[in-house]
mmCIF file of all heavy atoms in Angstrom:
data_model
loop_
_atom_site.group_PDB
_atom_site.id
_atom_site.type_symbol
_atom_site.label_atom_id
_atom_site.label_comp_id
_atom_site.label_asym_id
_atom_site.label_seq_id
_atom_site.Cartn_x
_atom_site.Cartn_y
_atom_site.Cartn_z
ATOM 1 N N ASP A 1062 -15.831 -11.079 -1.010
ATOM 2 C CA ASP A 1062 -15.545 -12.502 -0.818
ATOM 3 C C ASP A 1062 -15.512 -13.285 -2.126
ATOM 4 O O ASP A 1062 -15.302 -14.493 -2.124
ATOM 5 C CB ASP A 1062 -16.616 -13.113 0.105
ATOM 6 C CG ASP A 1062 -16.640 -12.435 1.474
ATOM 7 O OD1 ASP A 1062 -15.552 -12.261 2.053
ATOM 8 O OD2 ASP A 1062 -17.740 -12.069 1.942
ATOM 9 N N PHE A 1063 -15.771 -12.587 -3.238
ATOM 10 C CA PHE A 1063 -15.822 -13.263 -4.535
ATOM 11 C C PHE A 1063 -14.454 -13.828 -4.908
ATOM 12 O O PHE A 1063 -13.420 -13.297 -4.499
ATOM 13 C CB PHE A 1063 -16.278 -12.287 -5.623
ATOM 14 C CG PHE A 1063 -17.733 -11.916 -5.539
ATOM 15 C CD1 PHE A 1063 -18.163 -10.892 -4.694
ATOM 16 C CD2 PHE A 1063 -18.677 -12.582 -6.309
ATOM 17 C CE1 PHE A 1063 -19.502 -10.541 -4.624
ATOM 18 C CE2 PHE A 1063 -20.024 -12.235 -6.241
ATOM 19 C CZ PHE A 1063 -20.433 -11.221 -5.401
ATOM 20 N N LYS A 1064 -14.489 -14.923 -5.686
ATOM 21 C CA LYS A 1064 -13.261 -15.534 -6.174
ATOM 22 C C LYS A 1064 -13.310 -15.596 -7.697
ATOM 23 O O LYS A 1064 -14.396 -15.723 -8.280
ATOM 24 C CB LYS A 1064 -13.119 -16.970 -5.634
ATOM 25 C CG LYS A 1064 -13.054 -17.067 -4.105
ATOM 26 C CD LYS A 1064 -11.700 -16.633 -3.559
ATOM 27 C CE LYS A 1064 -11.671 -16.572 -2.041
ATOM 28 N NZ LYS A 1064 -12.445 -15.418 -1.467
ATOM 29 N N VAL A 1065 -12.156 -15.516 -8.311
ATOM 30 C CA VAL A 1065 -12.062 -15.621 -9.761
ATOM 31 C C VAL A 1065 -12.670 -16.955 -10.198
ATOM 32 O O VAL A 1065 -12.425 -17.982 -9.563
ATOM 33 C CB VAL A 1065 -10.583 -15.497 -10.209
ATOM 34 C CG1 VAL A 1065 -10.414 -15.899 -11.674
ATOM 35 C CG2 VAL A 1065 -10.082 -14.077 -9.985
ATOM 36 N N GLY A 1066 -13.480 -16.909 -11.226
ATOM 37 C CA GLY A 1066 -14.119 -18.120 -11.755
ATOM 38 C C GLY A 1066 -15.579 -18.239 -11.355
ATOM 39 O O GLY A 1066 -16.334 -18.971 -12.000
ATOM 40 N N MET A 1067 -15.981 -17.527 -10.301
ATOM 41 C CA MET A 1067 -17.377 -17.617 -9.865
ATOM 42 C C MET A 1067 -18.306 -16.974 -10.885
ATOM 43 O O MET A 1067 -17.934 -15.994 -11.537
ATOM 44 C CB MET A 1067 -17.561 -16.932 -8.504
ATOM 45 C CG MET A 1067 -16.981 -17.734 -7.363
ATOM 46 S SD MET A 1067 -17.233 -16.865 -5.807
ATOM 47 C CE MET A 1067 -16.819 -18.192 -4.678
ATOM 48 N N LYS A 1068 -19.512 -17.531 -10.960
ATOM 49 C CA LYS A 1068 -20.499 -16.993 -11.905
ATOM 50 C C LYS A 1068 -21.616 -16.260 -11.178
ATOM 51 O O LYS A 1068 -21.921 -16.555 -10.014
ATOM 52 C CB LYS A 1068 -21.069 -18.123 -12.755
ATOM 53 C CG LYS A 1068 -19.970 -18.809 -13.567
ATOM 54 C CD LYS A 1068 -20.432 -19.240 -14.920
ATOM 55 C CE LYS A 1068 -19.358 -20.036 -15.655
ATOM 56 N NZ LYS A 1068 -18.434 -19.164 -16.415
ATOM 57 N N LEU A 1069 -22.169 -15.302 -11.865
ATOM 58 C CA LEU A 1069 -23.262 -14.503 -11.320
ATOM 59 C C LEU A 1069 -24.103 -13.968 -12.479
ATOM 60 O O LEU A 1069 -23.779 -14.223 -13.635
ATOM 61 C CB LEU A 1069 -22.698 -13.365 -10.460
ATOM 62 C CG LEU A 1069 -21.528 -12.543 -11.015
ATOM 63 C CD1 LEU A 1069 -22.013 -11.449 -11.926
ATOM 64 C CD2 LEU A 1069 -20.745 -11.931 -9.875
ATOM 65 N N GLU A 1070 -25.161 -13.259 -12.147
ATOM 66 C CA GLU A 1070 -25.948 -12.590 -13.181
ATOM 67 C C GLU A 1070 -25.601 -11.109 -13.171
ATOM 68 O O GLU A 1070 -25.414 -10.532 -12.100
ATOM 69 C CB GLU A 1070 -27.450 -12.758 -12.912
ATOM 70 C CG GLU A 1070 -27.927 -14.200 -13.047
ATOM 71 C CD GLU A 1070 -29.424 -14.390 -12.785
ATOM 72 O OE1 GLU A 1070 -30.128 -13.386 -12.528
ATOM 73 O OE2 GLU A 1070 -29.876 -15.539 -12.836
ATOM 74 N N ALA A 1071 -25.506 -10.538 -14.365
ATOM 75 C CA ALA A 1071 -25.184 -9.114 -14.452
ATOM 76 C C ALA A 1071 -25.953 -8.467 -15.588
ATOM 77 O O ALA A 1071 -26.197 -9.103 -16.618
ATOM 78 C CB ALA A 1071 -23.682 -8.932 -14.678
ATOM 79 N N HIS A 1072 -26.320 -7.215 -15.378
ATOM 80 C CA HIS A 1072 -26.904 -6.453 -16.476
ATOM 81 C C HIS A 1072 -25.816 -6.191 -17.503
ATOM 82 O O HIS A 1072 -24.703 -5.802 -17.140
ATOM 83 C CB HIS A 1072 -27.495 -5.138 -15.959
ATOM 84 C CG HIS A 1072 -28.798 -5.336 -15.239
ATOM 85 N ND1 HIS A 1072 -30.012 -5.216 -15.876
ATOM 86 C CD2 HIS A 1072 -29.061 -5.699 -13.962
ATOM 87 C CE1 HIS A 1072 -30.976 -5.481 -15.011
ATOM 88 N NE2 HIS A 1072 -30.428 -5.784 -13.838
ATOM 89 N N ASP A 1073 -26.139 -6.420 -18.772
ATOM 90 C CA ASP A 1073 -25.181 -6.163 -19.850
ATOM 91 C C ASP A 1073 -24.950 -4.656 -19.938
ATOM 92 O O ASP A 1073 -25.897 -3.915 -20.217
ATOM 93 C CB ASP A 1073 -25.764 -6.704 -21.167
ATOM 94 C CG ASP A 1073 -24.789 -6.590 -22.329
ATOM 95 O OD1 ASP A 1073 -23.804 -5.832 -22.221
ATOM 96 O OD2 ASP A 1073 -25.034 -7.261 -23.353
ATOM 97 N N PRO A 1074 -23.722 -4.188 -19.689
ATOM 98 C CA PRO A 1074 -23.498 -2.728 -19.697
ATOM 99 C C PRO A 1074 -23.808 -2.091 -21.044
ATOM 100 O O PRO A 1074 -24.110 -0.903 -21.114
ATOM 101 C CB PRO A 1074 -22.006 -2.566 -19.379
ATOM 102 C CG PRO A 1074 -21.448 -3.916 -19.167
ATOM 103 C CD PRO A 1074 -22.496 -4.951 -19.433
ATOM 104 N N ARG A 1075 -23.765 -2.884 -22.115
ATOM 105 C CA ARG A 1075 -24.023 -2.316 -23.446
ATOM 106 C C ARG A 1075 -25.491 -2.443 -23.840
ATOM 107 O O ARG A 1075 -25.896 -2.024 -24.920
ATOM 108 C CB ARG A 1075 -23.132 -3.003 -24.489
ATOM 109 C CG ARG A 1075 -21.642 -2.712 -24.240
ATOM 110 C CD ARG A 1075 -20.787 -3.210 -25.383
ATOM 111 N NE ARG A 1075 -20.670 -4.664 -25.398
ATOM 112 C CZ ARG A 1075 -20.102 -5.351 -26.379
ATOM 113 N NH1 ARG A 1075 -19.614 -4.705 -27.430
ATOM 114 N NH2 ARG A 1075 -20.021 -6.656 -26.327
#
Side-chain angles (χ1 to χ4, degrees):
D1062 300 313
F1063 288 84
K1064 299 285 173 288
V1065 168
M1067 286 180 167
K1068 299 216 185 273
L1069 46 84
E1070 293 180 2
H1072 284 266
D1073 185 343
R1075 295 189 287 172

